[in-house]
């Protein structure tokens, strides 16, 4: 009997499922943690919460026969607040996974905490490549986009159009640094030069001094290594200084449909940008876009669509693993392909990077738009293998 017991125990341990083949506490609980009141509220915000709800509902509201619950909170773009919320969710509210995590400093902090707690994180709103590079973890995943994909897309397009000298207006935290660095490297690798940069605080209201430095640099392209309302305000104030009229171009390195809508086609027309999803791309994209619009009165951007995809993939992984144990789920997430309206033919690399196609887009002129939210012309599809860093070169210790 003793021998039989030990043999059975060894089999269970080897399979990584020593716990029961079910949710460990009678439910599966997901948290959406993002900016819901600040500079990135439109970028992800409550709309990401709604996208997560849609994914859970479309999955049937249950996995492994137990209910899927959703909680959400506003981290106010502060890593300490985000970490405190995440710790409380894990320690007292039985949250199994946290997603969105808009703001790279927040994403890095919560991913590090989640490693210690053995919990899954899927960053759909944060951008820095460090999430799947030097800061990678066995339980951390990066879904919708990253700074390398933006540099290859928008940066590459501007260089090809003759924009071979750059000056950066950069948000003063991890995301901005990463986006500036990735784009600078790409510009230089393609024969361009970087004439300088200036950093501004998150949620700035006055960009005049920063824009004047960019203007006086004489750079052909002013790279806006910021996002959300910071990018929109940069563009508005650049118009007041006549920067584009003076011959310089603006590169909105992280700009999505939500911000284009807020800025309006008159002001945004002609901007080149990169997203991982566009609602009017094809029938599959339009189907999700219209369902989302019916609930939110707005069309989704890549963060909202990416959150839906991430929640769905997580639930599929729980089902495949037969458990909500983080090790088993993380293994299943890497093994399964991602083939939905967002991550078409997508794969999850060993470092947690979900590799999928990105789209180079140009904002239409007002008279080119045929219907509400018809804002983009698709210039090119960027294959995932070109958009994202080779996992072997990302600096992640998980990649052997």
């Amino acid at each position: 009997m003793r021998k039989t017991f030990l043999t059975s125990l060894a089999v269970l341990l080897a399979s990584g499922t020593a716990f029961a083949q079910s949710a460990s506490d009678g439910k599966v609980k997901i948290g959406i943690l993002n900016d819901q009141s600040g500079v990135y509220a439109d970028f992800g915000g409550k709309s990401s919460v709604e996208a997560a709800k849609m994914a859970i509902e479309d999955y049937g509201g249950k996995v492994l026969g137990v209910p899927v619950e959703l909680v959400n909170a506003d981290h106010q773009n502060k890593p300490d607040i985000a970490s405190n919320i995440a710790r409380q969710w894990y320690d007292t509210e039985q949250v199994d996974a946290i997603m969105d995590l808009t703001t790279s400093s927040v994403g890095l902090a919560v991913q590090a905490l989640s490693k210690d707690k053995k919990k899954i994180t899927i960053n759909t709103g944060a951008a820095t490549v460090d999430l799947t590079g030097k800061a990678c973890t066995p339980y951390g995943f990066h879904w919708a986009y990253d700074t390398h994909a933006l540099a290859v897309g928008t940066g590459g397009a501007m260089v090809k159009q003759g924009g071979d000298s750059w000056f950066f207006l950069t948000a003063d935290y991890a995301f901005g640094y990463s986006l500036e660095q990735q784009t600078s490297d790409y510009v230089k690798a393609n024969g361009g030069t970087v004439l300088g940069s200036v950093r501004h605080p998150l949620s700035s209201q006055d960009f005049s001094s920063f824009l004047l430095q960019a203007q006086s640099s004489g750079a052909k392209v002013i790279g806006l290594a910021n996002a959300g309302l910071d990018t929109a305000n940069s563009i508005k104030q650049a118009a007041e200084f006549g920067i584009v009229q003076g011959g310089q171009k603006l590169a909105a390195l992280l700009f999505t449909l939500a911000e284009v809508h807020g800025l309006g086609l008159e002001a945004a027309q002609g901007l080149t940008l990169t997203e991982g999803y566009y609602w009017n791309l094809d029938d599959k994209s339009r189907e999700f876009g219209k369902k989302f619009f019916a609930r939110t009165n707005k069309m989704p951007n890549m963060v909202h669509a990416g959150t839906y995809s991430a929640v769905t993939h997580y639930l599929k992984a729980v089902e495949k693993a037969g458990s909500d144990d983080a090790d088993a789920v993380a293994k299943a997430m890497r093994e399964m392909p991602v083939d939905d309206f967002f991550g078409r033919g997508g794969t999850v690399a060993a470092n947690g990077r979900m590799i999928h196609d990105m789209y180079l887009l140009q904002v239409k002129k007002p008279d080119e738009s045929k219907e509400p939210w018809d804002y983009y012309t698709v210039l090119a599809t960027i294959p995932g293998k070109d958009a994202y860093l080779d996992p072997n070169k990302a600096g992640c210790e998980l990649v052997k």
Side-chain angles (χ1 to χ4, degrees):
M1 288 180 64
R2 183 173 180 273
K3 182 178 180 181
T4 301
F5 171 76
L6 290 174
T7 301
S8 300
L9 179 61
V11 170
L12 283 170
L13 291 172
S15 69
T17 55
F19 298 103
Q21 293 292 296
S22 64
S24 57
D25 53 6
K27 62 179 178 293
V28 170
K29 198 167 185 178
I30 297 169
I32 301 297
L33 185 57
N34 59 15
D35 176 9
Q36 299 181 7
S37 58
V39 66
Y40 301 140
D42 289 335
F43 183 71
K46 286 291 188 180
S47 294
S48 283
V49 178
E50 201 61 36
K53 288 180 182 177
M54 289 174 65
I56 292 168
E57 290 170 12
D58 289 348
Y59 203 79
K62 290 184 177 182
V63 64
L64 302 180
V66 301
V68 180
E69 298 181 12
L70 184 72
V71 292
N72 73 91
D74 182 355
H75 60 46
Q76 302 173 46
N77 295 309
K78 296 178 180 178
D80 57 338
I81 291 176
S83 295
N84 287 336
I85 293 170
R87 185 175 287 105
Q88 179 182 334
W89 279 356
Y90 291 151
D91 291 347
T92 66
E93 298 186 34
Q94 295 79 51
V95 168
D96 298 294
I98 298 178
M99 304 182 197
D100 192 339
L101 295 166
T102 307
T103 315
S104 291
S105 53
V106 166
L108 290 165
V110 175
Q111 182 168 284
L113 171 68
S114 302
K115 177 185 178 182
D116 294 339
K117 298 289 186 179
K118 291 193 174 183
K119 300 286 188 176
I120 300 291
T121 56
I122 309 180
N123 275 272
T124 57
T128 178
V129 292
D130 287 347
L131 287 161
T132 50
K134 63 184 181 182
C136 72
T137 82
Y139 312 110
F141 297 86
H142 204 179
W143 217 253
Y145 72 105
D146 65 24
T147 51
H148 187 270
L150 301 176
V152 170
T154 308
M158 300 299 283
V159 172
K160 289 175 183 177
Q161 292 171 8
D164 56 5
S165 63
W166 286 62
F167 186 96
F168 289 92
L169 203 70
T170 302
D172 192 12
Y173 74 102
F175 150 68
Y177 312 152
S178 182
L179 186 51
E180 178 186 331
Q181 183 65 54
Q182 294 293 318
T183 308
S184 295
D185 290 348
Y186 195 85
V187 168
K188 292 173 185 176
N190 286 273
T193 57
V194 176
L195 302 182
S197 66
V198 62
R199 292 176 175 175
H200 68 81
L202 182 66
S203 304
S204 292
Q205 298 300 313
D206 184 2
F207 289 87
S208 57
S209 64
F210 309 122
L211 288 166
L212 286 171
Q213 290 182 62
Q215 189 176 40
S216 64
S217 73
K220 293 179 182 178
V221 179
I222 299 173
L224 303 177
N226 49 20
L229 290 177
D230 280 344
T231 305
N233 288 331
S234 300
I235 294 169
K236 288 177 184 177
Q237 292 174 37
E240 296 172 7
F241 286 102
I243 287 177
V244 175
Q245 294 88 328
Q248 292 174 294
K249 293 183 178 180
L250 299 177
L253 294 169
L254 178 50
F255 210 53
T256 74
L257 194 77
E259 291 76 50
V260 171
H261 182 72
L263 193 58
L265 287 184
E266 189 64 42
Q269 61 182 307
L271 282 175
T272 301
L273 53 92
T274 305
E275 288 211 55
Y277 165 85
Y278 176 40
W279 75 270
N280 211 11
L281 181 70
D282 58 20
D283 288 343
K284 288 177 69 175
S285 299
R286 281 188 285 272
E287 180 181 1
F288 174 73
K290 290 177 179 179
K291 285 175 62 178
F292 185 88
F293 184 87
R295 297 172 68 125
T296 65
N297 203 35
K298 64 175 70 171
M299 285 295 181
N301 64 10
M302 65 177 170
V303 178
H304 309 139
T307 299
Y308 179 100
S309 174
V311 171
T312 301
H313 193 76
Y314 173 77
L315 294 176
K316 288 181 177 179
V318 170
E319 187 167 332
K320 176 180 172 64
S323 167
D324 60 0
D325 172 69
D327 287 298
V329 173
K331 182 175 183 292
M333 286 183 67
R334 287 178 169 87
E335 291 175 346
M336 295 190 307
V338 183
D339 195 12
D340 53 26
F341 69 88
F342 180 81
R344 303 163 191 227
T347 57
V348 182
N351 63 344
R353 173 69 259 175
M354 199 275 274
I355 298 172
H356 61 101
D357 293 348
M358 298 288 287
Y359 304 99
L360 182 65
L361 308 161
Q362 187 167 54
V363 180
K364 292 182 175 183
K365 297 176 182 178
D367 61 0
E368 294 174 333
S369 179
K370 304 301 181 185
E371 59 180 309
W373 295 89
D374 175 32
Y375 293 160
Y376 292 155
T377 296
V378 180
L379 300 179
T381 298
I382 307 166
K385 64 181 179 62
D386 298 328
Y388 295 103
L389 277 169
D390 180 343
N392 294 296
K393 299 177 181 178
C396 174
E397 63 181 10
L398 298 174
V399 182
K400 306 296 184 183

